[in-house]
Amino acid sequence: MTQINITINIEDLKEKIENSSLESPVKASLTLLLNSLMEKERDEYINALSHERTDERRGYRNGYYERQLVTGAGALKLNVPRTRDGAFSPSAFKRYERYDQALVLSMMEMVINGVSTRKVTKIVEELCGEKVSKSFVSEITKSLDPIVNDWKNRPLNVSYFHYIYVDAMYIKVREDNKVVSKAIYIACGVNQKGYREIIGIQIDYKESTEAWSRFFEHLKSRGMQSPKMVISDAHAGLVKAIEESFLGTSWQRCVVHFLRNMINKMPKKNSTEAREELKNIFRTSTLAHARELKDEFINTYQNTKGLQEVIEKLDAGFEDAMQFHSHDKRYYKHLRTTNMLERVNREVRRREKVIAIFPNDQSAIRTIGSVLMDIDEDWAKSQYFRSFDKEK
């Protein structure tokens, strides 16, 4: 490799540092150094100095063009030499192109972690020393689209998911010059090795049987088979869609949601003892004992004022809330509730609150999908159901 010797005019450098509007002398020094490097590289490419006449000359100069280079010291405006044949390419940009990549990746990570576009724009301005628009930041983050879309549409036939957890949360999206509320569906599964995966994300206008069925059909179109059990809350449209979409699959009603619904119907006063007895029904480790406690509760409070609706709900929903008892006892804690998915929703909500209103559906998929990908990556590091592969 040819060694290039660069001679820098110290007085020129001093003048540039003293008179430059650049905030840091380091930037002025680096600008002069890179410009000198590119000039020397062009001399070598042409094999002749400026105005030098020689038989070994391989081309001619063709002035300069200005180009910005983002480096660790900030954004530099460089004078890039050109040749008439257009084939000359200085090494400075190849050497420092990683700074451009690092800046883009940092911006995307800030957006994913819940930093607002306005704040990201301000940070980039401080790094680069010049104004950038919010649309510039938005365009950069669109680089995530193909990554997120590939992930959310990946094949699911490589694993069998024994258990599926599903839920929906509402977000605000701009549509036709107005702000509308939309439901975003999220599905998590536990595969045959006992590891959790986020297997689905989709946006629809509302929670309904038709919308949930579309979501389940999307999962099946990617190769997902009917699971052993689906765990969710008791939204009527969701429950019906589960019955229609997954033949032979049982439905586990989230015990936490079920208890909360019943307790909210109890009188505020003089119901402490009844509340504890109701909770004890779902704390026992055997189904037979749970049934005994349920029958005792109904017999004890069937004539108590204010508890008739609670008894009706308990009697109607008890079996659906006890489906986890037909599976391995080691997994009762995880199968009886949607707590795992609730934690996912809280993390999504924490990031989503910063944005408040998404400009469109794809923006929501991009941001929320990136958050879910991050969670999914963490889940892959440890088993959720230990010894799952040894299940009897």
Side-chain angles (χ1 to χ4, degrees):
M1 181 177 178
T2 304
Q3 182 176 359
I4 301 175
N5 296 314
I6 302 174
T7 302
I8 297 178
N9 188 312
I10 299 300
E11 291 302 320
D12 188 17
L13 175 59
K14 180 179 178 181
E15 181 182 355
K16 285 182 178 294
I17 292 176
E18 290 176 347
N19 300 327
S20 175
S21 60
L22 296 174
E23 296 177 354
S24 170
V26 175
K27 292 169 68 175
S29 302
L30 189 56
T31 299
L32 183 59
L33 178 64
L34 292 175
N35 281 339
S36 299
L37 171 63
M38 291 188 289
E39 190 66 53
K40 292 297 181 183
E41 284 185 326
R42 183 170 65 173
D43 289 345
E44 275 213 343
Y45 176 82
I46 295 175
N47 201 30
L49 299 175
S50 178
H51 305 298
E52 182 182 8
R53 297 181 181 277
T54 172
D55 295 336
E56 287 76 27
R57 176 184 286 275
R58 294 195 296 265
Y60 296 89
R61 290 165 177 75
N62 190 29
Y64 304 85
Y65 67 93
E66 190 176 87
R67 177 175 168 180
Q68 180 173 281
L69 174 66
V70 179
T71 73
L76 309 178
K77 289 185 178 179
L78 302 178
N79 294 320
V80 184
R82 291 187 296 198
T83 57
R84 290 185 186 178
D85 61 10
F88 172 68
S89 178
S91 64
F93 293 99
K94 293 180 181 178
R95 184 179 178 185
Y96 284 97
E97 64 183 0
R98 63 182 179 272
Y99 287 108
D100 292 292
Q101 297 170 2
L103 179 62
V104 170
L105 291 173
S106 297
M107 289 169 62
M108 291 192 294
E109 186 174 352
M110 283 188 283
V111 172
I112 293 167
N113 285 322
V115 181
S116 68
T117 303
R118 185 178 295 104
K119 288 182 179 179
V120 174
T121 303
K122 185 176 181 181
I123 292 169
V124 173
E125 287 176 357
E126 290 178 357
L127 287 174
C128 297
E130 57 186 63
K131 295 289 183 181
V132 295
S133 66
K134 289 194 293 182
S135 61
F136 169 77
V137 176
S138 298
E139 287 298 319
I140 289 293
T141 57
K142 285 181 181 179
S143 304
L144 286 167
D145 285 351
I147 300 172
V148 173
N149 289 335
D150 286 347
W151 173 78
K152 83 179 190 70
N153 294 316
R154 71 192 187 279
L156 298 177
N157 56 2
V158 295
S159 298
Y160 174 66
F161 297 96
H162 291 244
Y163 305 108
I164 302 295
Y165 300 76
V166 294
D167 196 12
M169 58 188 297
Y170 283 85
I171 59 174
K172 292 182 179 179
V173 181
R174 291 191 188 278
E175 190 173 86
D176 298 328
N177 296 319
K178 61 183 179 180
V179 177
V180 299
S181 178
K182 289 190 174 184
I184 186 155
Y185 299 84
I186 299 174
C188 304
V190 180
N191 63 31
Q192 72 272 16
K193 295 183 179 180
Y195 287 85
R196 292 173 292 175
E197 290 184 43
I198 295 175
I199 59 175
I201 172 177
Q202 191 163 293
I203 293 179
D204 218 312
Y205 282 96
K206 61 179 180 179
E207 274 195 271
S208 65
T209 301
E210 295 75 18
W212 274 112
S213 295
R214 284 193 293 270
F215 182 50
F216 293 145
E217 287 304 314
H218 169 66
L219 297 179
K220 291 195 292 184
S221 71
R222 291 162 51 204
M224 193 191 80
Q225 303 175 46
S226 292
K228 291 182 178 180
M229 188 164 70
V230 177
I231 303 95
S232 73
D233 62 25
H235 185 280
L238 170 55
V239 175
K240 187 176 180 181
I242 292 171
E243 294 174 354
E244 295 175 352
S245 301
F246 303 119
L247 298 178
T249 296
S250 62
W251 169 58
Q252 167 65 40
R253 181 174 187 173
C254 176
V255 170
V256 171
H257 285 87
F258 187 36
L259 264 174
R260 186 183 300 149
N261 290 340
M262 291 187 289
I263 290 174
N264 287 341
K265 296 295 182 180
M266 286 183 162
K268 300 297 181 183
K269 295 182 179 180
N270 303 321
S271 64
T272 302
E273 186 175 350
R275 288 170 188 246
E276 283 304 307
E277 290 180 17
L278 182 63
K279 291 177 182 178
N280 287 337
I281 296 172
F282 301 94
R283 287 171 177 163
T284 183
S285 60
T286 66
L287 181 58
H289 190 210
R291 285 198 175 109
E292 289 177 8
L293 293 177
K294 182 204 68 166
D295 292 340
E296 288 178 11
F297 182 89
I298 292 175
N299 291 332
T300 302
Y301 296 104
Q302 59 184 343
N303 297 319
T304 302
K305 183 179 179 181
L307 291 181
Q308 280 71 33
E309 187 176 355
V310 174
I311 289 174
E312 290 176 5
K313 285 181 175 293
L314 175 62
D315 200 32
F318 177 80
E319 292 299 328
D320 290 327
M322 291 290 155
Q323 290 300 301
F324 67 92
H325 280 286
S326 62
H327 298 268
D328 195 304
K329 288 184 178 180
R330 293 174 295 175
Y331 315 137
Y332 282 3
K333 177 182 177 181
H334 297 310
L335 294 177
R336 63 198 296 270
T337 74
T338 58
N339 285 354
M340 177 262 288
L341 190 49
E342 292 293 327
R343 287 191 289 271
V344 172
N345 289 346
R346 284 197 296 271
E347 185 63 18
V348 170
R349 186 66 74 189
R350 183 177 71 83
R351 316 280 182 93
E352 173 265 339
K353 278 184 178 179
V354 177
I355 298 173
I357 301 173
F358 291 98
N360 49 56
D361 285 0
Q362 184 55 44
S363 173
I365 290 291
R366 179 189 312 133
T367 302
I368 297 175
S370 298
V371 173
L372 296 179
M373 286 179 68
D374 193 35
I375 295 172
D376 195 57
E377 186 176 340
D378 286 339
W379 281 357
K381 299 174 183 176
S382 60
Q383 271 185 317
Y384 189 56
F385 288 176
R386 298 196 180 278
S387 301
F388 189 88
D389 51 339
K390 299 179 182 178
E391 183 179 353
K392 298 179 180 179

